[in-house]
């Protein structure tokens, strides 16, 4: 089994590209650092670093080992955060991350329910994109994060966290009250091919749904803010797709069902792979109730 101290020493050397700087970071002597790297190479039977006059580079084996060393460092940071919380009695503090439409729909009611169940509960919430939220769960900054993916794509996994599937929701078309299709109960997505669109990103779920329907959407407004989306659509400046949950919260616009296999959002949570906060499970149960 690889010695964690040697792995973390190798990580410091690889990141600093210097034995002396790594030694200062780890509060070791430079010979001690060199000895640990050499012992690791002997144990693996592979050279990890190619030393040269101008410095050194990682060998293929070294590059592979660095990925594992980074994962080990992330898990150790997470363990430090979780242990500190356990030892200081911070089990009633819950840090949540969410994407905008969940923050505007189910998250507040789930937190309100949790407050009724737990005395002295302290909850904080941040909004963010998937990569940012997953990274924050991975390093312990967040206890749980809510993410989504295109329901028509292969299940997305994220390294270093545990995924918990929550529910799927169909997406509906949002159009202004004066739009030609506002009184329709159902429409085909291609009927909006000539409209101006708003979406969170230029190449995300909405763009893919439009391309699958046979047209390239004219994306003039890029925003994930539910209030901005509502204002743009209500003013007749754009159309869009949004999840059914958010559509129910937006006044002054018309939501129309998309015919024939509408695009769907797969809603899921990510939590640490071990040592999950005890309030994460009740919070997720409240979200899906």
């Amino acid at each position: 089994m690889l010695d964690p101290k040697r792995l973390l020493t190798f990580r410091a050397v690889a990141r600093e590209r210097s034995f002396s700087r790594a030694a200062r970071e780890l509060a070791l002597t430079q010979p001690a650092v060199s000895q640990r790297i050499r012992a690791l190479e002997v144990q693996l039977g592979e050279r990890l670093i190619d030393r040269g006059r101008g410095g050194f580079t990682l060998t293929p084996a070294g590059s592979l080992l660095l990925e594992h060393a980074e994962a080990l460092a992330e898990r150790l940071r997470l363990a430090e955060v979780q242990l500190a919380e356990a030892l200081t009695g911070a089990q009633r503090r819950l840090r949540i991350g969410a994407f905008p439409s969940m923050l505007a729909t189910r998250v507040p009611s789930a937190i309100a329910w949790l407050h009724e169940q737990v005395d002295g509960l302290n909850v904080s919430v941040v909004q963010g994109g998937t990569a940012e939220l997953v990274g924050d769960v991975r390093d312990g900054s967040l206890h749980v994060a809510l993410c989504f993916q295109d329901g028509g794509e292969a299940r997305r996994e994220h390294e270093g966290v545990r995924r918990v599937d929550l529910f799927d929701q169909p997406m509906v078309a949002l159009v202004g009250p004066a739009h030609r299709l506002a009184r329709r109960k159902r429409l085909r997505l291609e009927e909006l091919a000539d409209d101006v669109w708003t979406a969170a990103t230029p190449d995300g779920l909405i763009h893919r749904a439009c391309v699958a329907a046979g047209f390239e959407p004219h994306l003039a407004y890029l925003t994930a803010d539910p209030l901005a989306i509502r204002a743009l659509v209500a003013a007749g400046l754009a159309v869009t797709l949004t999840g059914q949950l958010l559509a129910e919260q937006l006044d002054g616009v018309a939501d129309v069902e998309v015919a024939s296999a509408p695009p769907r959002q797969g809603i899921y949570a990510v939590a640490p792979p071990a040592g999950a906060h005890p309030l994460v499970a009740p919070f997720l149960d409240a979200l899906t109730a």
Side-chain angles (χ1 to χ4, degrees), residues 136-242:
D136 286 344
V137 171
R138 190 181 291 129
D139 69 15
S141 299
L142 294 175
H143 295 120
V144 63
L146 304 175
C147 307
F148 76 92
Q149 72 163 91
D150 187 335
E153 295 198 324
R155 189 175 189 273
R156 179 192 297 161
E157 297 289 353
H158 304 282
E159 186 177 355
V161 296
R162 175 174 59 92
R163 171 171 168 156
V164 181
D165 291 316
L166 299 177
F167 58 89
D168 281 359
Q169 66 168 335
M171 300 192 75
V172 298
L174 285 188
V175 299
H179 193 276
R180 66 188 185 282
L181 302 177
R183 296 185 180 275
R184 292 268 292 274
K185 291 185 177 180
R186 184 176 300 176
L187 59 75
R188 300 185 313 278
L189 204 53
E190 54 267 32
E191 293 182 87
L192 298 174
D194 295 329
D195 285 86
V196 175
W197 283 74
T198 179
T201 63
D203 55 358
L205 190 158
I206 291 175
H207 178 266
R208 290 192 296 272
C210 292
V211 170
F215 67 95
E216 184 78 23
H218 175 200
L219 285 169
Y221 304 98
L222 295 178
T223 177
D225 183 346
L227 290 178
I229 293 169
R230 189 205 68 78
L232 289 167
V233 175
L237 298 175
V239 301
T240 192
L241 296 174
T242 192

